[in-house]
Amino acid sequence: MAMTVHCDIVSAEGEIFSGLVEMVIAHGALGDLGIALGHAPLITNLKPGPIRLIKQGGEAEVFYISGGFLEVQPNMVKVLADTVQRAADLDEAQAQAALKAAEAALHERGAEFDYGAASVRLAEAAAQLRTVQQIRKKFGG
């Protein structure tokens, strides 16, 4: 049996995952992270994109987060996300529509235009679409 660590993924809506995992793979602010039992304590920002859990027994489960934080302690990994969705629940057509809407908003700047907010929406939509496409490519979903 592989060594495991307890992992919680929570957002403002509530807890979406709590259980034992062999590894957590996430996109940190400074690069990709692979967290397993015995990892050094760490707190880092997370970029929008997928979080992959290798659960006890080797089964993988993927979630999409719109950003947040990752905390690692000796026997615990906690993901505090702005929003979380199970990757299986993501809709590629909806993600493509969100990406096009965000791109259009950037091109149609008016007097009240908030470039920062539009850029964030574009980054989140692109990350969500990448997550859907990665899941389909890797897992045939």
Side-chain angles (χ1 to χ4, degrees), residues 75-104:
N75 295 311
M76 178 270 304
V77 176
K78 185 167 283 205
V79 176
L80 304 168
D82 300 327
T83 59
V84 181
Q85 283 183 281
R86 291 183 190 280
D89 295 340
L90 294 175
D91 179 340
E92 185 172 9
Q94 188 177 22
Q96 284 178 330
L99 181 65
K100 287 179 183 173
E103 288 172 340

Short mmCIF file of all heavy atoms in Angstrom, two decimals, residues 75-104:
data_model
loop_
_atom_site.label_atom_id
_atom_site.label_comp_id
_atom_site.label_asym_id
_atom_site.label_seq_id
_atom_site.Cartn_x
_atom_site.Cartn_y
_atom_site.Cartn_z
N ASN A 75 1.31 16.02 7.54
CA ASN A 75 0.35 14.96 7.25
C ASN A 75 -0.93 15.47 6.60
O ASN A 75 -1.96 14.80 6.65
CB ASN A 75 0.00 14.20 8.53
CG ASN A 75 1.20 13.46 9.08
OD1 ASN A 75 1.88 12.75 8.35
ND2 ASN A 75 1.48 13.65 10.35
N MET A 76 -0.87 16.68 5.99
CA MET A 76 -2.08 17.27 5.46
C MET A 76 -1.75 18.22 4.31
O MET A 76 -0.76 18.92 4.33
CB MET A 76 -2.77 18.05 6.60
CG MET A 76 -4.03 18.79 6.25
SD MET A 76 -3.83 20.50 5.68
CE MET A 76 -2.94 21.27 6.99
N VAL A 77 -2.62 18.19 3.28
CA VAL A 77 -2.56 19.15 2.17
C VAL A 77 -3.94 19.78 2.09
O VAL A 77 -4.95 19.08 2.06
CB VAL A 77 -2.23 18.44 0.83
CG1 VAL A 77 -2.27 19.45 -0.31
CG2 VAL A 77 -0.91 17.73 0.90
N LYS A 78 -3.97 21.11 2.06
CA LYS A 78 -5.25 21.81 1.98
C LYS A 78 -5.21 22.76 0.79
O LYS A 78 -4.27 23.53 0.64
CB LYS A 78 -5.54 22.59 3.25
CG LYS A 78 -6.93 23.24 3.25
CD LYS A 78 -7.31 23.73 4.61
CE LYS A 78 -7.71 22.53 5.41
NZ LYS A 78 -8.61 22.77 6.50
N VAL A 79 -6.24 22.68 -0.05
CA VAL A 79 -6.41 23.59 -1.19
C VAL A 79 -7.58 24.50 -0.84
O VAL A 79 -8.70 24.03 -0.61
CB VAL A 79 -6.68 22.82 -2.50
CG1 VAL A 79 -6.96 23.79 -3.63
CG2 VAL A 79 -5.54 21.89 -2.83
N LEU A 80 -7.29 25.79 -0.76
CA LEU A 80 -8.32 26.80 -0.51
C LEU A 80 -8.52 27.53 -1.83
O LEU A 80 -7.67 28.31 -2.25
CB LEU A 80 -7.87 27.77 0.58
CG LEU A 80 -7.48 27.12 1.90
CD1 LEU A 80 -6.79 28.11 2.81
CD2 LEU A 80 -8.70 26.53 2.57
N ALA A 81 -9.62 27.25 -2.49
CA ALA A 81 -9.85 27.75 -3.85
C ALA A 81 -10.95 28.78 -3.87
O ALA A 81 -11.87 28.75 -3.06
CB ALA A 81 -10.20 26.60 -4.78
N ASP A 82 -10.84 29.70 -4.84
CA ASP A 82 -11.92 30.67 -5.06
C ASP A 82 -13.18 29.92 -5.48
O ASP A 82 -14.22 30.06 -4.86
CB ASP A 82 -11.51 31.69 -6.12
CG ASP A 82 -10.26 32.47 -5.72
OD1 ASP A 82 -10.07 32.72 -4.50
OD2 ASP A 82 -9.46 32.80 -6.60
N THR A 83 -13.09 29.15 -6.56
CA THR A 83 -14.17 28.27 -6.98
C THR A 83 -13.56 26.95 -7.41
O THR A 83 -12.42 26.90 -7.88
CB THR A 83 -15.00 28.85 -8.16
OG1 THR A 83 -14.13 29.06 -9.26
CG2 THR A 83 -15.68 30.14 -7.78
N VAL A 84 -14.32 25.88 -7.24
CA VAL A 84 -13.86 24.53 -7.58
C VAL A 84 -14.97 23.82 -8.33
O VAL A 84 -16.14 23.94 -7.98
CB VAL A 84 -13.54 23.69 -6.31
CG1 VAL A 84 -13.05 22.31 -6.68
CG2 VAL A 84 -12.56 24.39 -5.41
N GLN A 85 -14.57 23.07 -9.37
CA GLN A 85 -15.50 22.19 -10.07
C GLN A 85 -14.80 20.87 -10.35
O GLN A 85 -13.60 20.87 -10.64
CB GLN A 85 -15.91 22.78 -11.43
CG GLN A 85 -16.92 23.88 -11.36
CD GLN A 85 -17.28 24.31 -12.77
OE1 GLN A 85 -16.55 25.05 -13.40
NE2 GLN A 85 -18.40 23.83 -13.26
N ARG A 86 -15.53 19.79 -10.28
CA ARG A 86 -14.96 18.52 -10.72
C ARG A 86 -14.77 18.62 -12.22
O ARG A 86 -15.64 19.11 -12.94
CB ARG A 86 -15.90 17.36 -10.38
CG ARG A 86 -16.00 17.11 -8.92
CD ARG A 86 -16.89 15.90 -8.60
NE ARG A 86 -17.14 15.83 -7.18
CZ ARG A 86 -16.29 15.34 -6.28
NH1 ARG A 86 -15.13 14.86 -6.68
NH2 ARG A 86 -16.58 15.33 -5.01
N ALA A 87 -13.62 18.18 -12.70
CA ALA A 87 -13.33 18.30 -14.14
C ALA A 87 -14.38 17.56 -14.97
O ALA A 87 -14.73 18.01 -16.06
CB ALA A 87 -11.94 17.76 -14.43
N ALA A 88 -14.91 16.47 -14.44
CA ALA A 88 -15.93 15.72 -15.18
C ALA A 88 -17.20 16.54 -15.39
O ALA A 88 -17.97 16.26 -16.31
CB ALA A 88 -16.27 14.42 -14.44
N ASP A 89 -17.42 17.57 -14.55
CA ASP A 89 -18.61 18.40 -14.67
C ASP A 89 -18.43 19.59 -15.60
O ASP A 89 -19.37 20.33 -15.85
CB ASP A 89 -19.03 18.92 -13.28
CG ASP A 89 -19.45 17.80 -12.35
OD1 ASP A 89 -19.77 16.70 -12.83
OD2 ASP A 89 -19.43 18.03 -11.12
N LEU A 90 -17.20 19.80 -16.09
CA LEU A 90 -16.94 20.93 -16.98
C LEU A 90 -17.52 20.66 -18.37
O LEU A 90 -17.49 19.54 -18.84
CB LEU A 90 -15.44 21.20 -17.10
CG LEU A 90 -14.74 21.68 -15.84
CD1 LEU A 90 -13.24 21.76 -16.09
CD2 LEU A 90 -15.28 23.01 -15.39
N ASP A 91 -18.00 21.69 -19.00
CA ASP A 91 -18.58 21.61 -20.33
C ASP A 91 -17.66 22.37 -21.29
O ASP A 91 -17.46 23.57 -21.15
CB ASP A 91 -19.97 22.24 -20.30
CG ASP A 91 -20.68 22.23 -21.63
OD1 ASP A 91 -20.02 22.09 -22.68
OD2 ASP A 91 -21.92 22.36 -21.63
N GLU A 92 -17.11 21.67 -22.29
CA GLU A 92 -16.16 22.29 -23.21
C GLU A 92 -16.81 23.43 -24.00
O GLU A 92 -16.22 24.49 -24.18
CB GLU A 92 -15.57 21.26 -24.17
CG GLU A 92 -14.51 21.86 -25.07
CD GLU A 92 -13.76 20.83 -25.89
OE1 GLU A 92 -14.15 19.66 -25.92
OE2 GLU A 92 -12.77 21.24 -26.52
N ALA A 93 -18.03 23.24 -24.46
CA ALA A 93 -18.70 24.28 -25.24
C ALA A 93 -18.91 25.53 -24.38
O ALA A 93 -18.71 26.66 -24.85
CB ALA A 93 -20.04 23.77 -25.77
N GLN A 94 -19.28 25.33 -23.13
CA GLN A 94 -19.49 26.46 -22.22
C GLN A 94 -18.15 27.18 -21.95
O GLN A 94 -18.09 28.40 -21.91
CB GLN A 94 -20.10 25.96 -20.92
CG GLN A 94 -20.53 27.05 -19.98
CD GLN A 94 -21.20 26.48 -18.74
OE1 GLN A 94 -21.01 25.32 -18.37
NE2 GLN A 94 -22.01 27.30 -18.10
N ALA A 95 -17.06 26.40 -21.80
CA ALA A 95 -15.74 26.99 -21.57
C ALA A 95 -15.29 27.79 -22.80
O ALA A 95 -14.73 28.88 -22.67
CB ALA A 95 -14.73 25.91 -21.23
N GLN A 96 -15.56 27.26 -24.00
CA GLN A 96 -15.20 27.99 -25.23
C GLN A 96 -16.00 29.27 -25.34
O GLN A 96 -15.47 30.32 -25.74
CB GLN A 96 -15.42 27.11 -26.45
CG GLN A 96 -14.35 26.06 -26.62
CD GLN A 96 -14.59 25.17 -27.83
OE1 GLN A 96 -15.72 24.93 -28.22
NE2 GLN A 96 -13.50 24.66 -28.39
N ALA A 97 -17.27 29.23 -24.99
CA ALA A 97 -18.12 30.43 -25.05
C ALA A 97 -17.62 31.48 -24.06
O ALA A 97 -17.57 32.67 -24.38
CB ALA A 97 -19.57 30.06 -24.74
N ALA A 98 -17.21 31.05 -22.86
CA ALA A 98 -16.68 31.98 -21.86
C ALA A 98 -15.38 32.61 -22.34
O ALA A 98 -15.13 33.80 -22.15
CB ALA A 98 -16.47 31.27 -20.53
N LEU A 99 -14.54 31.81 -23.00
CA LEU A 99 -13.28 32.32 -23.54
C LEU A 99 -13.55 33.37 -24.62
O LEU A 99 -12.95 34.45 -24.60
CB LEU A 99 -12.45 31.17 -24.12
CG LEU A 99 -11.10 31.54 -24.71
CD1 LEU A 99 -10.16 32.07 -23.64
CD2 LEU A 99 -10.47 30.34 -25.41
N LYS A 100 -14.47 33.08 -25.54
CA LYS A 100 -14.81 34.05 -26.60
C LYS A 100 -15.40 35.32 -26.02
O LYS A 100 -15.08 36.42 -26.48
CB LYS A 100 -15.76 33.41 -27.60
CG LYS A 100 -15.06 32.39 -28.49
CD LYS A 100 -16.01 31.75 -29.47
CE LYS A 100 -15.25 30.69 -30.26
NZ LYS A 100 -16.11 29.91 -31.11
N ALA A 101 -16.25 35.20 -25.01
CA ALA A 101 -16.86 36.38 -24.38
C ALA A 101 -15.78 37.23 -23.70
O ALA A 101 -15.81 38.47 -23.80
CB ALA A 101 -17.92 35.96 -23.37
N ALA A 102 -14.82 36.59 -23.04
CA ALA A 102 -13.75 37.33 -22.38
C ALA A 102 -12.86 38.02 -23.41
O ALA A 102 -12.44 39.17 -23.21
CB ALA A 102 -12.93 36.39 -21.50
N GLU A 103 -12.56 37.34 -24.51
CA GLU A 103 -11.75 37.96 -25.57
C GLU A 103 -12.49 39.15 -26.18
O GLU A 103 -11.89 40.20 -26.43
CB GLU A 103 -11.41 36.93 -26.65
CG GLU A 103 -10.40 35.90 -26.21
CD GLU A 103 -10.21 34.76 -27.21
OE1 GLU A 103 -11.11 34.53 -28.05
OE2 GLU A 103 -9.17 34.10 -27.13
N ALA A 104 -13.79 39.00 -26.40
CA ALA A 104 -14.59 40.09 -26.97
C ALA A 104 -14.61 41.29 -26.02
O ALA A 104 -14.51 42.44 -26.46
CB ALA A 104 -16.01 39.61 -27.25
#
